[in-house]
Amino acid sequence: MSGEQRVDYLVIGAGPAGLQAAYFLERAGRDYQVVEAGEAPGTFFTRFPRHRTLISSNKVHTGWDDPELRMRVDWNSLLSEEYAPLFTSYSPRYFPPADDMVRYLGDFAAAHGLRVRYNTRVTRISREAPDGTGRGDFLAEDERGDVLRARRIIMATGVTRPYIPPIEGAELAEPYSEVSVDPEEFTDKRVLIIGRGNSAFETADNLIETAAVIHVAGPGSLRLAWQTHFVGHLRAVNNNFLDTYQLKSQNALLDGEILRITRSEGADGEAGEYRVAVKFSRVAEVVKEIPYDRVVLATGFRFDASVFDEDCRPELTIKDRFPAQTDAWESVNVPDLYFAGTITQVRDFKKSTSGFIHGFRYGVRALHRILEQRYEHAPWPGRDLAATPEAVADEVLARVNRTSALWQLFGFLSDAVVLPGDGTARYHEEVPVDHLHPAVENGAFGPVERYLAVTLEYGADHDKVNPFDISVSRVHQADTSGLDGRYLHPVVRLFQDGKPLAEHHITENLENEWDSEEVHRTPLVRFLAGHLAAPQPPAEPTATGRP
């Protein structure tokens, strides 16, 4: 080992999540180091997406002067107190080129003086035996034999290995990460693309003009992002292929399971035609063998845990694609090992936005606050206010009308209003909902008798309703009942000892402006007045906000 350095925090990966973590560590004056295998930040975006166009919204013109509001429609910028640099100054395109992301991340790292060591690929992570504190240091060794010793690790490496589904003969298919993006190579070919996500449909759209036949196949029902509000489901920008299927242009969406892939040998000794056995889901489980010239595997990626020694290797979950995590983004089986970025989507899998920059940037900020509480004895930022219905209502409405965090990481992050029971209240922003309850129980927010969780949420079963079906009614914009609505709206819930007591829904609004005295403030004040006066025994919550 030719060298060794010791830090409190080692961040592995200088993509968006790694740089975001580094920004907060740098600002707090912590002892940290980022290591990155590539020669610059954002190595992932030099290769992906393969067709070089991001599908993360870049809305430059908003009509708003408030930079916090603008972050509601800026899906690519990282967080900073200075609101700079912002990705929106790098491209005017709503769906910008991926190369602009590489440029932006390099500038963000330089602008904030982040400590990143490039061309440093970690090849092994081990852990020493426990010391006097009960926990030993991590040892991260790179390809040169240099060792970084760290008390804690934040893994921000993303999902770097293709996920190979358990299909017989899957190795015969061309992986999305390697297949040619030149549509001319597919002229007059019969093509099967295995996968139901955006990478599969991005690939299909690229081949529409040249391929003879394109089939996109996978199990389960196709989920559309405009209906589910999960941006990992099929985006409209990638669904041109569906037109060619439903309007009878030789292409098709196959609903079913791929059982096996075989390939014959051609007359010249080269690989020949594929034969793929498909078990259809909606035709009495019929199995049909279909011939193809090309087969592409676009089934996503997974986290690579192979660099960890067995005694400190994180447990995996969801088909071994992601590291299993606690409510503090910590490994469930390796203390002091934390995760940031797209691999944190396990916490809100296919429900919110932790898998994407516009979601996990706020997750990283919350992670930083958790680390500050745990290791640096720094309290979660908060502000005092009077525990009166009017004061609390005003604070809640001010926040929901401006916050980008609750807007982007909907249903996952909450603002917490803690009530010690002495006539005061304290407002803490952006606490993960599933972390809030154990944190209160463990005293992380001081003495608490009851507490409120404020979120922005879509209504119950919102993903099961076609939002364009006018036969399905919606809550009136002037509704004051406190009942649930389907579109994004504020929700205030009251808890005691981790158990829900009551909840109040502030009605949805076309402009997302909750500033009406009659419609928004007065019903909220009335709800709070009934619950802030004195502790109550836990009871089942009701939809009207009345226990």
Side-chain angles (χ1 to χ4, degrees):
M1 295 183 184
S2 58
E4 185 171 300
Q5 176 187 354
R6 187 178 192 274
V7 294
D8 287 340
Y9 301 92
L10 174 62
V11 181
I12 301 180
L19 296 184
Q20 188 69 86
Y23 170 82
F24 291 117
L25 290 167
E26 178 70 29
R27 189 170 182 85
R30 303 306 174 199
D31 179 25
Y32 77 96
Q33 179 66 56
V34 183
V35 292
E36 163 59 41
E39 61 185 17
T43 302
F44 175 88
F45 293 98
T46 64
R47 293 192 60 206
F48 300 102
R50 294 296 314 284
H51 301 277
R52 309 309 298 142
T53 300
L54 301 176
I55 58 172
S56 46
S57 303
N58 180 52
K59 198 166 191 298
V60 176
H61 305 288
T62 66
W64 294 326
D65 295 326
D66 185 343
E68 178 65 13
L69 278 177
R70 291 171 66 88
M71 292 295 280
R72 288 184 170 189
V73 290
D74 177 351
W75 288 15
N76 300 289
S77 295
L78 298 182
L79 303 178
S80 67
E81 293 294 323
E82 304 83 1
Y83 289 99
L86 294 175
F87 184 86
T88 48
S89 65
Y90 284 71
S91 174
R93 302 293 301 275
Y94 189 74
F95 295 123
D99 289 338
D100 286 344
M101 176 60 75
V102 177
R103 202 160 49 90
Y104 167 71
L105 294 175
D107 288 351
F108 185 92
H112 295 291
L114 305 183
R115 288 171 246 168
V116 185
R117 184 182 301 171
Y118 299 106
N119 297 307
T120 302
R121 180 179 297 278
V122 173
T123 57
R124 180 190 177 195
I125 298 174
S126 58
R127 194 168 196 180
E128 291 184 324
D131 56 16
T133 66
R135 295 176 179 177
D137 284 348
F138 290 99
L139 303 177
E141 184 175 346
D142 67 20
E143 70 272 34
R144 295 179 293 273
D146 292 338
V147 172
L148 265 167
R149 181 185 295 268
R151 299 175 69 185
R152 297 152 210 118
I153 286 180
I154 300 174
M155 290 295 291
T157 52
V159 282
T160 57
R161 285 197 169 186
Y163 169 69
I164 309 298
I167 297 172
E168 180 184 341
E171 70 281 358
L172 299 174
E174 301 174 77
Y176 166 78
S177 57
E178 304 296 336
V179 69
S180 172
V181 296
D182 180 2
E184 296 301 322
E185 291 189 20
F186 295 81
T187 300
D188 282 329
K189 303 296 183 183
R190 293 175 54 86
V191 182
L192 171 66
I193 302 168
I194 302 173
R196 301 292 284 271
N198 283 291
S199 61
F201 282 90
E202 166 198 275
T203 302
D205 278 356
N206 186 52
L207 304 180
I208 285 174
E209 294 180 353
T210 56
V213 172
I214 307 169
H215 290 170
V216 176
S221 300
L222 183 66
R223 307 299 302 278
L224 304 173
W226 52 257
Q227 179 169 348
T228 66
H229 303 108
F230 173 66
V231 298
H233 286 147
L234 180 59
R235 300 286 301 283
V237 67
N238 282 330
N239 73 10
N240 290 335
F241 176 82
L242 297 182
D243 265 11
T244 71
Y245 169 37
Q246 290 297 304
L247 301 180
K248 305 179 292 298
S249 294
Q250 293 187 277
N251 301 327
L253 186 66
L254 308 184
D255 301 315
E257 179 186 356
I258 306 299
L259 299 181
R260 63 184 172 274
I261 303 169
T262 59
R263 195 172 191 186
S264 63
E265 184 175 315
D268 55 1
E270 298 293 326
E273 183 181 71
Y274 288 97
R275 304 288 293 189
V276 180
V278 183
K279 183 179 181 181
F280 287 90
S281 300
R282 295 195 286 183
V283 193
E285 302 297 331
V286 167
V287 176
K288 183 176 182 178
E289 198 167 79
I290 306 174
Y292 296 102
D293 300 304
R294 306 283 291 266
V295 176
V296 179
L297 202 61
T299 49
F301 296 85
R302 66 179 180 86
F303 174 71
D304 182 7
S306 64
V307 297
F308 290 90
D309 279 6
E310 188 173 349
D311 62 353
C312 65
R313 184 171 299 156
E315 181 181 316
L316 302 180
T317 188
I318 307 181
K319 299 180 180 179
D320 289 342
R321 292 181 61 192
F322 306 102
Q325 297 159 47
T326 70
D327 59 88
W329 290 283
E330 187 177 21
S331 169
V332 298
N333 65 307
V334 184
D336 305 314
L337 174 60
Y338 294 88
F339 304 96
T342 190
I343 51 179
T344 64
Q345 65 184 278
V346 68
R347 296 272 307 277
D348 57 1
F349 192 58
K350 296 187 178 181
K351 294 179 180 178
S352 193
T353 60
S354 287
F356 312 92
I357 294 174
H358 65 292
F360 68 61
R361 63 192 180 194
Y362 303 101
V364 174
R365 180 157 65 189
L367 168 61
H368 177 75
R369 289 170 175 170
I370 290 172
L371 298 178
E372 288 287 290
Q373 277 189 319
R374 287 188 172 185
Y375 302 113
E376 313 297 344
H377 310 292
W380 198 285
R383 54 191 177 275
D384 295 324
L385 63 154
T388 64
E390 294 79 10
V392 173
D394 288 344
E395 196 70 21
V396 167
L397 291 174
R399 273 288 290 168
V400 298
N401 277 298
R402 185 169 185 258
T403 173
S404 64
L406 304 190
W407 174 276
Q408 297 285 30
L409 211 44
F410 54 87
F412 181 84
L413 283 185
S414 67
D415 281 1
V417 183
V418 299
L419 306 164
D422 59 0
T424 66
R426 190 159 179 81
Y427 201 104
H428 299 278
E429 297 179 1
E430 302 172 26
V431 186
V433 173
D434 63 351
H435 179 72
L436 174 61
H437 304 304
V440 167
E441 182 181 352
N442 295 331
F445 294 99
V448 178
E449 282 193 347
R450 289 161 298 146
Y451 55 100
L452 299 167
V454 181
T455 55
L456 286 172
E457 300 179 17
Y458 292 94
D461 298 327
H462 66 90
D463 58 336
K464 297 178 174 60
V465 177
N466 181 348
F468 305 117
D469 182 356
I470 63 171
S471 68
V472 179
S473 63
R474 291 176 64 168
V475 174
H476 194 281
Q477 280 198 146
D479 181 82
T480 59
S481 67
L483 295 172
D484 196 1
R486 286 200 178 92
Y487 193 64
L488 195 68
H489 63 282
V491 184
V492 181
R493 292 185 175 89
L494 177 70
F495 294 90
Q496 183 179 337
D497 299 326
K499 298 179 177 60
L501 297 180
E503 67 182 52
H504 177 79
H505 294 254
I506 302 174
T507 189
E508 59 190 65
N509 181 270
L510 177 63
E511 291 82 16
N512 304 297
E513 295 173 353
W514 297 282
D515 54 8
S516 166
E517 177 69 32
E518 179 183 356
V519 177
H520 305 130
R521 186 175 184 273
T522 297
L524 178 57
V525 169
R526 186 166 55 243
F527 166 77
L528 294 171
H531 297 291
L532 296 186
Q536 304 172 25
E540 292 297 319
T542 65
T544 63
R546 300 180 180 87

